[in-house]
Amino acid sequence: MAQMLQFNGHGELAAEILRLKKERNAVILAHNYQVPEVQDIADFVGDSLGLSQAAARTPADVIVFCGVHFMAETASIISPKKTVLLPDLGAGCSLAATIDGEKLRAWKNEHPNSAVVSYINTTAEVKAESDYVCTSGNAVKVVNSIPRDREILFLPDLFLGAFVKERTGREMEIWPGECHVHAGITPDVVNEKLAENSDAEFLIHPECGCVTQFLYFAEKGDFNMPMVHVASTEGMVRRARESSADKFLVATETGILHRMRKENPDKTFLPVKEDAVCQYMKTITLEKVANSLRNMVHEVRVRDEIAGKARLAIQRMLELA
Ligand code: 13P
Ligand code: SF4
């Protein structure tokens, strides 16, 4: 009863999902940007790294992936014997779409001895052409693990790339891709909010368009903010929990605010940009999750040849994490 109350107005659908989940021996994994009711019904909510780790360790037969397509592909690559379902095949990613296998092969041809580090926001084909996969939670660690004399091609996010370059001090070639949601979180947008909320702690995702300028100011020591943290979505949620601050400005997709507020009811969380909303993440609804489990749709599977190569790059990351 208490559990049903938590599903505010979605009780019947939630009950059906829980029943089907049992019948199918399924687990529901949800990204931190999912709509609140989907997060609330999930067995695990997290960032890209946490979700791939959860996909790797689950004993379930079926994984319902409430996130975007590259995440479901990654789960299928890690757990090829499991059935991975994506409730809406339209859940794409503007950042992943900035590079494909052909473009990457051409780039590699220009830099034949380089190590390729691909952000997890890429297609399986791109991962198969990569030496390492990384997430925002471990990109610095992954790059630091590569011998210093090796040239690095980093893709596809230019802002995350600039952040990693600054943190590791490595020379890297960076692909000029960006996520349309995070790129819109520009220095101007942020500076205006910071001026209004100088008492807040500032949490920022490294895909944001303001990260490069912020790093510059922070280095110069003239960025007028007492507390700033650059982190993956899970890192931001953790910081919100552990920090003694009671007010936070949050620079990422606004779906993350649900979990922050739920876990910290006495603290205040403000989005830096109210319309920083990823329409791909929001295509997943409770109705579609129920439909997925009812009809076992839409299965995401990666061709063995591609999956085998991509798995090696993902495993290198998981071993480091
Ligand atoms: P993380 O949750 O891994 O930080 O990634 C954010 C993201 O952009 C997913 O689309
Ligand atoms: Fe892709 Fe950006 Fe949406 Fe994340 S927020 S899924 S990077 S489009």
Side-chain angles (χ1 to χ4, degrees):
M1 179 64 187
Q3 195 177 16
M4 282 300 103
L5 282 178
Q6 168 190 340
F7 296 121
N8 304 321
H10 302 281
E12 238 170 77
L13 205 50
E16 185 190 3
I17 290 170
L18 295 177
R19 178 178 55 75
L20 286 167
K21 202 176 68 155
K22 224 174 177 171
E23 265 174 45
R24 305 284 196 201
N25 189 25
V27 67
I28 300 179
L29 306 183
H31 188 265
N32 285 320
Y33 299 157
Q34 289 291 292
V35 294
E37 57 274 22
V38 168
Q39 290 192 32
D40 288 345
I41 204 147
D43 297 290
F44 179 85
V45 184
D47 65 359
S48 311
L49 178 61
L51 291 168
S52 24
Q53 289 167 328
R57 68 171 177 258
T58 179
D61 297 315
V62 176
I63 298 173
V64 181
F65 214 112
C66 301
V68 293
H69 193 269
F70 74 78
M71 295 180 173
E73 268 189 342
T74 306
S76 171
I77 292 165
I78 294 171
S79 305
K81 295 205 170 79
K82 298 187 194 307
T83 302
V84 178
L85 303 176
L86 182 64
D88 187 326
L89 284 177
C93 169
S94 60
L95 175 58
T98 62
I99 187 163
D100 58 18
E102 203 180 317
K103 286 181 188 153
L104 176 51
R105 281 187 289 276
W107 201 29
K108 280 167 67 174
N109 280 340
E110 292 168 20
H111 303 269
N113 299 315
S114 54
V116 177
V117 181
S118 287
Y119 191 32
I120 198 162
N121 297 39
T122 44
T123 62
E125 196 196 359
V126 167
K127 289 186 178 78
E129 290 285 342
S130 308
D131 298 296
Y132 297 85
V133 166
C134 72
T135 69
S136 55
N138 63 16
V140 170
K141 203 175 192 174
V142 169
V143 167
N144 273 333
S145 77
I146 300 170
R148 289 198 78 85
D149 57 356
R150 191 97 191 267
E151 184 188 22
I152 293 175
L153 300 186
F154 188 94
L155 64 108
D157 191 85
L158 75 101
F159 298 109
L160 176 65
F163 171 71
V164 173
K165 190 172 169 178
E166 198 272 341
R167 285 292 149 102
T168 60
R170 295 290 294 262
E171 269 313 308
M172 303 192 313
E173 292 291 320
I174 301 170
W175 188 259
E178 60 180 32
C179 150
H180 69 296
V181 179
H182 287 92
I185 302 179
T186 59
D188 285 355
V189 168
V190 169
N191 290 340
E192 198 184 316
K193 272 279 194 268
L194 288 178
E196 290 163 8
N197 298 279
S198 55
D199 55 336
E201 190 172 313
F202 183 35
L203 306 178
I204 174 171
H205 194 278
E207 280 176 34
C208 287
C210 61
V211 84
T212 352
Q213 174 154 334
F214 159 70
L215 287 172
Y216 173 78
F217 283 129
E219 218 161 69
K220 295 258 175 272
D222 57 0
F223 197 78
N224 191 23
M225 274 297 296
M227 296 272 258
V228 182
H229 288 271
V230 182
S232 75
T233 57
E234 196 58 30
M236 293 166 110
V237 170
R238 195 179 317 118
R239 178 68 202 169
R241 204 164 41 229
E242 290 171 359
S243 167
S244 57
D246 55 15
K247 187 175 177 190
F248 299 81
L249 265 183
V250 182
T252 192
E253 211 272 356
T254 57
I256 200 172
L257 297 167
H258 173 64
R259 213 179 132 201
M260 287 176 163
R261 288 170 178 154
K262 193 169 152 185
E263 289 184 9
N264 308 279
D266 298 332
K267 297 181 179 180
T268 303
F269 299 94
L270 303 171
V272 160
K273 191 166 181 276
E274 302 268 356
D275 62 352
V277 176
C278 174
Q279 70 269 39
Y280 302 113
M281 284 283 179
K282 300 318 192 224
T283 60
I284 313 290
T285 60
L286 267 194
E287 284 76 10
K288 289 178 191 172
V289 174
N291 181 53
S292 246
L293 282 163
R294 249 183 248 130
N295 300 305
M296 294 297 282
V297 290
H298 304 274
E299 187 171 356
V300 173
R301 196 169 280 284
V302 178
R303 270 195 296 127
D304 286 352
E305 191 200 331
I306 300 278
K309 289 186 195 158
R311 195 173 299 122
L312 289 176
I314 296 169
Q315 266 163 0
R316 281 192 195 111
M317 168 188 84
L318 291 176
E319 278 158 19
L320 279 172

